[in-house]
Amino acid sequence: MRHSSWISCCSDLRNMSKAPDSILRRLKVRRQKQRTILAMRWRCAKGGKEFKELDTFYRAIRPYLCVAQLFGIMPLSNVLSRDPQDVKFRLRSVGMCFTGLFLLLGGIKTVMQANILFRTGLNAKNMMNLVFLIVGIVNWLNFTGFARSWSKLILPWSSLDILMQFAPYAPSKHSLRSKLRLIGCVVGSLAVVDHLLYYASGYYSYHMHIFHCHTNHSRLSFGSYLEKEFSETFELLPYNMFSVCYGFWLNAAFTFLWNFMDIFIVLTSIGLAQRFRQFADRVLALQGRQVPDTLWYDIRRDHIRLCELASLVDESMSNIVLMSCANNVYVICNQALAIFTKLRHPINYVYFWYSLLFLLARTSLVFMSASKIHDASLLPLRTLYLVPSTHWTEEVQRFVSQLTSEFVGLSGYRLFYLTRKSLFGMMATLVTYELMLLQMDAKSHKAGLPDLCA
């Protein structure tokens, strides 16, 4: 008996010694995996070879930042670098020189345009050009202020992007880069058509006015139209090829800035919404499973980081969002006023209707893209509301309170939020305005068209 008990004791000791060995081996393997992942993330964060292959917001937005530099927007240095840590705002930089140049030339153009309008008389129609220029100047300043906070924004964003490239987060079906590229190409192409139709409509109206109202038909050329279109430029510069190209260039810069303002909001919204969607997919995958509090804590901590990023983006972009919405509403109303005051030529109807529909679609895209941030932020509630009462812990309650206590999304200084409800409210206001215009237009039917030569 003693011998058998001694043998069993020895076997127990051997088993006990093997158990710690197996635990140590598993821990060693786990530590190796953790070190590998940490090394990968470190190399990605340092902009190594792997970073350029990751689906990060910085990688997706970088081509747009490069194009914006050509028009003095977002004056950032080292924008060609693949490492977001290198891209910073510097007061003494080439980008800031471009911004200063555009502000100077744009300011001169705005003052000259205001001088011309005050001499000829302001009204609802010709005032749009002045508002267009003033909004452009304000937006240059807004994007310069946004560029100053770029480093504080893009570094935590890139950190979250890298975190969500690895398990337990699943990759998105469509890459962020492909989404942003598609939106930029489609909206950019439509904006180019809108810009070309503007010149076509303006030149045809000028051509018909000169043909019917003036005996000197030598003024029918496109160059003569440009002399009238860029009249504020030719008050300072002689009429030659350089001044014509300068007028085209500066007008294109203001138009690009106007479109870039909306496109940038859309691209930023898509980037944020995709990360919230990835987070929601991780939580939805836990539906019907028993989840320990430690995992709920890790998930809640990642959600806090996402909400902090969204709050930082909202704080940095509030002035851009406010200016975009206010300007779009004004231009939509102005275009509608032009349409319902009896345009003369078919090309005028083509331009104004195209411009109005394009602007309505672009404004709707801004609101719909931004509303997806809030929609995605609430998706985890579907899983949390299905947690049985036996597993409803304090950590789950904290997570639910965290999801429902604060609005996540973009706003204009918290005066309004970019949601579907706000879009429908704005559309209702515009419809009311259109009905009022139709009533005014119906009363003027008897008067007929105004004199072409008036």
Side-chain angles (χ1 to χ4, degrees):
M1 292 292 293
R2 291 181 179 177
H3 180 70
S4 61
S5 62
W6 182 81
I7 292 175
S8 62
C9 183
C10 290
S11 63
D12 291 341
L13 289 173
R14 283 196 299 268
N15 292 333
M16 290 176 64
S17 63
K18 288 181 180 178
D21 290 339
S22 61
I23 293 174
L24 288 174
R25 281 196 298 270
R26 287 197 297 269
L27 290 174
K28 185 177 180 180
V29 172
R30 183 182 298 178
R31 284 196 298 268
Q32 288 176 349
K33 290 182 179 179
Q34 290 176 349
R35 282 197 295 268
T36 302
I37 293 175
L38 288 174
M40 173 69 75
R41 293 178 180 177
W42 175 254
R43 287 196 297 271
C44 292
K46 293 297 290 180
K49 183 179 179 180
E50 296 87 357
F51 182 81
K52 62 182 181 182
E53 299 172 359
L54 293 181
D55 186 31
T56 62
F57 176 75
Y58 173 72
R59 181 193 178 199
I61 200 69
R62 190 163 62 92
Y64 297 96
L65 297 180
C66 294
V67 176
Q69 299 290 301
L70 302 176
F71 297 94
I73 307 170
M74 292 286 290
L76 298 168
S77 59
N78 301 323
V79 74
L80 296 176
S81 174
R82 290 187 174 91
D83 187 353
Q85 297 184 54
D86 296 336
V87 183
K88 299 178 181 178
F89 172 82
R90 289 189 176 91
L91 193 60
R92 298 180 181 179
S93 63
V94 177
M96 194 61 198
C97 290
F98 267 77
T99 301
L101 177 64
F102 276 101
L103 282 173
L104 176 63
L105 299 179
I108 294 174
K109 179 181 177 69
T110 304
V111 172
M112 297 301 298
Q113 180 70 31
N115 184 39
I116 293 174
L117 291 180
F118 284 134
R119 285 184 309 190
T120 58
L122 278 173
N123 55 56
K125 293 183 179 179
N126 63 17
M127 187 180 176
M128 182 179 175
N129 290 332
L130 181 59
V131 173
F132 175 72
L133 297 176
I134 294 175
V135 169
I137 297 296
V138 173
N139 282 328
W140 260 306
L141 296 174
N142 286 340
F143 275 106
T144 301
F146 183 74
R148 295 182 62 184
S149 60
W150 178 256
S151 296
K152 298 178 182 178
L153 177 67
I154 198 60
L155 292 181
W157 197 330
S158 298
S159 176
L160 270 175
D161 282 342
I162 295 170
L163 174 68
M164 304 185 83
Q165 301 293 316
F166 303 95
Y169 292 101
S172 302
K173 185 177 180 180
H174 301 287
S175 67
L176 187 59
R177 189 182 186 189
S178 62
K179 290 181 182 179
L180 267 59
R181 183 186 300 171
L182 177 63
I183 292 294
C185 291
V186 172
V187 179
S189 300
L190 295 175
V192 170
V193 174
D194 179 65
H195 193 57
L196 294 177
L197 282 175
Y198 166 78
Y199 285 115
S201 174
Y203 173 61
Y204 190 82
S205 298
Y206 170 82
H207 179 91
M208 297 303 293
H209 177 78
I210 296 296
F211 184 80
H212 289 96
C213 303
H214 294 269
T215 56
N216 183 13
H217 290 174
S218 62
R219 302 285 298 173
L220 289 175
S221 65
F222 187 68
S224 299
Y225 161 70
L226 293 180
E227 191 173 352
K228 173 181 175 294
E229 177 68 20
F230 304 137
S231 56
E232 72 280 352
T233 300
F234 298 122
E235 287 194 4
L236 297 177
L237 298 175
Y239 180 80
N240 52 42
M241 184 59 65
F242 170 79
S243 55
V244 169
C245 292
Y246 166 77
F248 269 117
W249 170 68
L250 195 57
N251 200 30
F254 275 96
T255 305
F256 175 84
L257 177 59
W258 179 45
N259 289 277
F260 181 80
M261 175 174 55
D262 288 343
I263 294 176
F264 189 77
I265 296 173
V266 172
L267 300 182
T268 305
S269 300
I270 293 174
L272 277 176
Q274 179 152 318
R275 296 307 172 216
F276 274 99
R277 181 69 198 192
Q278 276 185 278
F279 177 83
D281 289 341
R282 179 188 177 186
V283 179
L284 292 174
L286 301 175
Q287 188 171 325
R289 296 169 53 185
Q290 184 176 354
V291 182
D293 276 355
T294 54
L295 182 55
W296 283 128
Y297 173 77
D298 291 338
I299 292 174
R300 192 167 64 85
R301 185 178 57 183
D302 288 349
H303 182 260
I304 291 174
R305 295 181 65 183
L306 274 173
C307 290
E308 287 176 347
L309 175 63
S311 178
L312 183 60
V313 173
D314 178 45
E315 182 182 352
S316 303
M317 291 186 60
S318 287
N319 51 355
I320 298 175
V321 171
L322 179 62
M323 185 58 63
S324 169
C325 295
N327 183 60
N328 287 346
V329 169
Y330 171 77
V331 177
I332 288 172
C333 293
N334 194 282
Q335 295 293 83
L337 176 63
I339 289 173
F340 292 112
T341 51
K342 297 184 180 299
L343 298 173
R344 287 195 165 275
H345 312 294
I347 186 64
N348 300 142
Y349 280 100
V350 171
Y351 163 66
F352 278 100
W353 272 111
Y354 177 89
S355 180
L356 178 61
L357 294 176
F358 170 60
L359 186 55
L360 286 170
R362 202 176 70 198
T363 304
S364 300
L365 182 63
V366 169
F367 278 84
M368 297 301 290
S369 300
S371 67
K372 290 182 179 180
I373 301 174
H374 182 63
D375 294 342
S377 70
L378 297 178
L379 286 177
L381 289 173
R382 297 181 182 178
T383 299
L384 295 175
Y385 286 153
L386 295 176
V387 174
S389 58
T390 54
H391 299 115
W392 189 274
T393 63
E394 185 178 355
E395 197 63 40
V396 177
Q397 179 61 43
R398 288 177 180 174
F399 193 20
V400 172
S401 300
Q402 188 172 301
L403 289 168
T404 56
S405 61
E406 185 177 359
F407 185 93
V408 178
L410 299 182
S411 68
Y413 285 111
R414 304 281 178 174
L415 298 174
F416 62 92
Y417 293 90
L418 298 184
T419 61
R420 292 182 179 87
K421 184 178 180 180
S422 299
L423 174 63
F424 291 137
M426 187 183 73
M427 291 301 174
T429 303
L430 291 174
V431 168
T432 304
Y433 180 76
E434 294 304 320
L435 293 175
M436 184 178 66
L437 285 179
L438 287 173
Q439 291 176 355
M440 295 173 60
D441 185 63
K443 294 179 181 179
S444 61
H445 267 304
K446 297 180 181 179
L449 286 171
D451 184 13
L452 176 64
C453 301

